[in-house]
Amino acid sequence: MAPIKSKRAAVLPEQKRRSIKGGAEAPPSKRVRALSDASAKTETPSKKDRVQKTTKSSPSVHQPAKPSLLREEEPAFPRGGASVLTPLEHKQINIDADRDVLFEQASRKHGAGASSADDEDAAVVSSDRPKKKRRISSSRGEVDHTAKGAQVYPKPEGLNFKRLVPGSLVLGQVAEINSRDIALSLPNNLTGYVPLNSMSDEIAAEYQRLAEDGDEEQDVPKNEEPVNLAAYFSLGQYLRAFVVSTYDENRSDGIHKDKRRIELSINPGLANEKLSVADMVTNSMVQASVVSVEDHGLVMDVGLDDQSVKGFMSSKEVGYNRDHAKIKEGSIYLCLVTGRNESGNILKLSADVQRAGNIRKKHFLTEAPSIDVFLPGTAVEVVLSSVTNHGISGTVMGMLDVTADIMHLGATSDALDVNKRWKVGQKIKARIVCNFPTTEPKKLGVSVLEHVVSLSAKMSRKEGDAKHPLDLLPLSKTVELSRIVKVEPGLGLFIDVGVPSVSGFVHISRIADKRIDNLSEMAGPYALGSTHAARIIGYNQMDGLFFASLQESVLQQAFLRMEDLELGQIVKGTVEKLIINADGVGGLILNLAQGISGLVPGMHLADVRLSHPEKKFKEGLSVTARVLSVDFDKRQIRLTLKKSLVNSETPIVKSYDNVVPGTQCVGSLINILPTGAVVQFYGRVRAFLPKSEMSEARIQDPHEHFRVGQVVNVHVISVDAETQKMLVSCKDPSVFGAEQQLGFQSLQVGQKVNGTVIDKSDDDLTLELDDSKLRANLPAGQLTDRSEKKAASSFSKIRVGKQLKDLVVLAKNEHRRFISVTKKPSLVAEAENDKLISSFEDVKEGDSVKGFVENTTPIGVFVRFGGGVTGLVLKRLLPDDVADLPDYGMWQHQSLSAKVFSVDHSQRKFLLTMRADKDVNPPSSTTKDPITMQPVLQPVDNTIRSVSDFTMGRITKATIRSIKSTQLNVQLADNIQGRVQVSNAFDAWDQIKDRKKPLSSHFRHKQIITVRILGVHHARDHRFLPITHRTGRAYMFELSIKPSDLTSAPAKMLTLDDFKVGSPVLAFVNNVKNDSVWASLSPTIISRLPYLDMSDDISVLNDMEANYPPGSAFRAHVTNIDKEKNQIDVSARTSMFTTPFSYDSLVKDIVMPGVVIDVSDRKVVIALSDTVVGLVHLTDLADNYEEANPTVYKKGEYVRVCVVGIDVSKKFVRLSTRASRVLSSTLPVEDPEVQSISSVKVNDVIRGFVKFVSDKGLFVSLGPELSAFVCVSDLSDSYIKDWKAAFPIDQLVKGKILSVDPLLSYIQMSLKQSVTDRDYVPPMTFDQLETGQIVTGTIRKVEDYGVFIEVDKSAKVSGLCHRSEMAERKVEDVRKLYDEGDVVKAKVLKIYPEKRRINFGLKASYFEGLDIAEDSKADQGEDDDLDDDLGGVALGSGPLSVMGDGGEMVFEPDETQDNAESGNAILQHDQEMPDAHASLAPPPGLTAKGFDWGGDISDDEAHNTSAESAHTFTPSSKKPRHHKAVIKADHTGDLDTHGPQSTADFERLLLTDPSSSTLWLQYMAFQLQLGEVSKAREIAERALLTIDIREEDEKLNIWIGLLNLENTYGSPEALDEVFQRACQYNDGLDISERLANIYIQSEKFDLADATYAAALKKYPATLRTYSHYFTFLFSHVSPDSARTLLPRALQALPGDTHIQLTTHFALLEFHHGDPERGRTLFEGLLSRWPKRVDLWNVLIDAEAKKDERARVRELFERLLGVGLKIGKVKGMFKKWVNFEEAWAEGKEADVHRRAERYVSEQVAAKADKENEI
């Protein structure tokens, strides 16, 4: 691979060098576009030049035009003057030249000609074409024929392989992610591949880094992927691709089909080719790669020449459910440009496909600086200019031609008529999918497929679930009855393959094995509606189509793709090629099917090594092989031709999971080791064959008996699927038959046997035991107790066939069927005396034992005994005379006598000693037990003298050290610990005082209790051990304080034998998991209880952690005991379930709890236990079918159900959640249960749910097992055009029973209202209308001359309102005023009975003078009811108020309200120091008086608002710092004096002023008065999209209104979602304050507190925020909370705000807290700023409000002494006088005298000062 020099050079390093040196070196081996200019450019290459071509290293010798992933650099000067152009470039130049020549000839011959591009993109000129002048427009693809003056629009055509030339741009969808490339699905069933070095620069650099250490074959290890592309791309992702090359290899060998390959590049430098900075307009699509991942988003490279231009994608724009921090650098996304920064060098990007795919009203291109901006992936609006059955053509912005073929119209069946759906001149939204760079004039390919337009994946919807089409119909599947739904002559067939909403396509070349030239939909075998067997050969995500074949050869083919192959499958193949290497033939390439080949390695050519395999295997020879492995990632297949494998009938071992010991299987050896061999089976399954298991005879060197590639027949000894390890054996399992197995099992260690020598090796003997015929091993060292030489001498005297007696079995291994015996006299004597150690339990401290040397190490000698038991003699425990000798003077198998020194039972180890007792401490309790070695320090029981006194069953005393939920930790002495598990504390339920806290309610800290010792508890691994196993510091005594244990015989630990099924038990909770409870019955017995077994109470089950905390007690009974699994099951439910819960134990009509495990639109699946599951159908959900909504149930929710029906054979349980069933409710049942057909009577009016819709009518479900049929004629009294759509599945309907046939189980009913409703009023007819009558109706149709109105509650009576009768003024455009579906009020102007026509009028003047008071009164009751539902809030009955910029409340008062300054009452936050009254006023939104759109409105303002202002919204005239939208006056003039009264009225007003938040909020309030909450939400969302982006304040008003709406009507989740969105588009702190105000209004004080706290933690705080928060805390929480927050606020805010904040806090203390604290705060301020008159004024006002007159006078006196200027003193005296006058105590004169005295003092002081001067 050529080295990558730099970031941009990673794509094509030689191109960069060539461009810089001006052509001095050779260009790359292949160019992307043909040269248009012979002169080489010498200027510095642009960024797109540097990424113009993907890496093309190491060109192929035989196929120069085929691109390669890895190439070497070409020589700078090719020899022989070779052209620097590739054959593809030569071909392209020749085509261009031929076209130019033909065009010139045609021009000379005919004067002017016309050329068009055919399917081959070649220019063809017809000689008999009439002479026509043409004009090719540069902006539109129109051909102007001057002879006739007609326009010829571009022919609708799609993309194909021949039109896809290098340089093309195409939109693709990621279909496969491989190790070295990704596959993109392209339009029209094309597939392209993007190699590693044609992606982003970061991926190429990563690949280069991994490739630097080796060659192409050694760049990465075999098991390591070079780059994990799955971390960079995702399946289904849309990307724009640049075509680098197209490769078409024609083959004529009859085996392979022509091979086509499209190589692509997705590098942003090529994908954004020709784009400039000016082209990056809003809603354009640009491909970008991630350069770096930042905290708040991603920095993107958009591939422009200008390196200073970058992209930035916010973390909120990366897409739904995607964490931007986990996105890797180098990832590539097709992004929507959402804007730029002010300097224009940062593009704002979005990869959110939900946003980019929503192009209905936005996110499509509306401006184009140049045609270069129209690139694949961009959404555009197309004006149709031509509509044919084969496609559509049109123009974009009148400058560029676009076409869409039938594939991307979605017209895949006759059900969609292209000519009816689309009309010439119609505007449609589409997405560009490709360009055609070789066609003139320029044109683009577009798609109108829904999934392409929305940038989503094509999904099939079946039974309400969206599934991927391939999940429903996998590739290679044969559809037996595929129906032809559309025939395209000359193209192919569209078929129905049985997948909803996804069709199939059969190309004309795939219909039959013979050639078919044309098709007909009327006749022939492939006529419309005919059925055929079809095989799926592909699926294209872009087209959303299956591609199939009807060819018989394809239908009969065994497999079509590599994925169809199975491991171990026998296949037929043809020898395609012999692989020749240095050793000769190294393998074969077998062709298995068209496009599928496999490799036969040399070792798998035959069972024996072939000297001349080329003579046996000729090319074209048919052979039978078996599949060894398939590597889908590398696209490799390994086969074998070995007859022993091909003809083997043993099980195919292809996974560790399905292999069990004893399985007989066949494998091949791939590696031979000194200790054994590695056996390869199928796939990646391998096993190890030990040397000892290779043969019954002894094998010294496996290489002498086995060779690599040899097939071996083995059986599995053991397998571990988790670690993927398997052990096999070649020994004949039949030799070890039932008799041998029985003898092996009866053979015991220490048993004396006799045997005959059958084999002898260098150091051991193989014996056959006389009685059992089992084979045993006798090492030479086991013949005698004497020296090594004596043992060798004895061994040499033994011959094969000699019988040996008095042998003792030393060990046996059942796993390996291995038996070891000994003839040592010392061991034989030990066995005779029954002293031979055969297990660890036989080891006793202090015992003298005999064994033999197993091994010697520097730490000591390992001594082996019987049963494989091994002990250690440490070096220090050896005799002194041998300690320093080599190997301690010992040899293997030497007999030894020793004494057991110590035993560690926990680790099953023991030490031996060979020293005399006088040289070592004798084994005693102090050496064997660390616990016993500890001295007893201050025992609680005075009778205890040593640790050894703590014996099993002893009753002693202990002190409680701590009380846990599940145990008492106690002290037996200061250094001896113990515990009492909660199950060992109580005998009976009556002894427990508090069920949830049994220990803490019964015991106290440091209490002395009487306990009985049960054993030892290991604190680390929680094991219970006998008292003899107490070793180490991790052990403590297990104790019991049960009264029964303290009074009866010595207690023992409970076991499973102590329990019986059905017996009651006392259990204690250990812990609570997600779906189960672990409970202790004793310290050693724990049971798992599912939640459903804990209680019959639903409220308890839904909050298990609170009702059953750890340690809590409950009563239960045993339901099952499994001693084999050491498992016990208990249940705390009613005693009726005393056995394991099953279908047989269920009883009908029983009410019990269950847990919801699945919810769909039609049913709820509920689990009653781990094994029993039931269904609740729609008719069993509620007594009132209107409340039957399965979606109200959530997974994991516990509900009460009643068992209605049981079918044990089918394991089906029908459940009911009806209140009448589960609650024994006495409320009336609206919809009674229909159990059987006998309960249905004729003339009964019953409700049910639509179950099925057929062509003849409906089936209505009356019960889970009972349905009624409704004929089409019985559906409605009026005609329904599309009656199937009017009755969707699961719709609730009401009908009357017409007939019942019990024998046939047939019920017929009618849904006609005239039949079901006794008070049925027939609809109004034409004859009932009168001239002058006022009616309401709906706009049925809108035309240029007027609208057609259908009268409500009529028999489809409609008439015309001409546009001259719509308004007082002339109406220019009717469609701007009305849309279809608008509700209007109209007056009948004239009736024409003979023509059955009606003229209506909509003018406002027609309704003047009408008395609507009655209507208002009639509606008053409904309004009152609505108000009650809204919590007493009269929406729309007062002025609509919104929040201002600074958090203040802006509301629109009555016109008569007096306001001297602005005419509006504005409560605004004073940026200066507020006076006392302003400070006392609550902050905006802190009132709790009803629903308010903005967050605050006072009672007085609401009361003073007139009735007229309730319908008229007055804009606020506040002048904030930022621009605020001015609500425009209504100029429509068509509304009556009572304001908007209908949806149409609002829509007309919004047409005149779409950015008025007042109108939008009034519209929302109107819908809420009607109870249409969802419509109010939709209006709010419309407002956010419609209001101009510059009108930030208007949008903010809508956000506040939407928050109010969700707070009042929505769920907490919906409110949080709106809040998060509002924070994205507005200032987060501001929105948080407003939400807090809304919470305060609705008296949700805890939520308001949490909102304030979260906002202060997340956003930089402001003075206003803290002031409001303090006010809230003082008013609604507690002053202490505010006092705690004050230091934090002062620390967070700048110093210049501390005075204002402290003043505000002091005033809050005055009025809501402790006034003394407020005075202290003021005194602190005044001591620091004594001349701040404003602080003095605030304090004086506060004291005055408290009526502290003495304090006020004292403050005035103090103020006179601070040395103020005379002007301020004058104001102070004036204020003092005002106070005295208000108090009326007659002290005004004193103040006047004090003022005069002060003035005289000041004058005297001034005179004295002048005299001094």
Side-chain angles (χ1 to χ4, degrees), residues 212-224:
E212 284 178 351
D213 297 334
D215 297 329
E216 295 178 8
E217 294 81 4
Q218 300 173 349
D219 51 358
V220 290
K222 292 182 179 179
N223 296 328
E224 180 182 348

Side-chain angles (χ1 to χ4, degrees), residues 485-550:
V485 295
K486 188 168 186 176
V487 178
E488 280 293 316
L491 181 61
L493 308 171
F494 288 95
I495 60 175
D496 181 4
V497 294
V499 179
S501 70
V502 181
S503 301
F505 177 71
V506 184
H507 192 264
I508 193 171
S509 62
R510 289 284 188 178
I511 295 178
D513 291 321
K514 63 181 181 179
R515 180 181 176 88
I516 296 179
D517 296 325
N518 207 343
L519 299 167
S520 173
E521 65 178 10
M522 304 301 296
Y526 306 104
L528 198 65
S530 59
T531 58
H532 305 270
R535 192 165 186 180
I536 305 301
I537 60 177
Y539 175 75
N540 187 276
Q541 299 187 37
M542 282 290 293
D543 302 331
L545 285 175
F546 285 104
F547 289 86
S549 173
L550 306 183

Side-chain angles (χ1 to χ4, degrees), residues 1442-1476:
V1442 297
M1443 296 292 290
D1445 283 343
E1448 68 277 6
M1449 179 59 58
V1450 181
F1451 65 96
E1452 293 72 25
D1454 198 29
E1455 292 182 359
T1456 60
Q1457 186 174 350
D1458 185 19
N1459 191 313
E1461 294 183 2
S1462 60
N1464 291 296
I1466 304 174
L1467 297 176
Q1468 59 184 3
H1469 181 77
D1470 190 358
Q1471 300 299 326
E1472 302 298 331
M1473 183 62 214
D1475 59 14

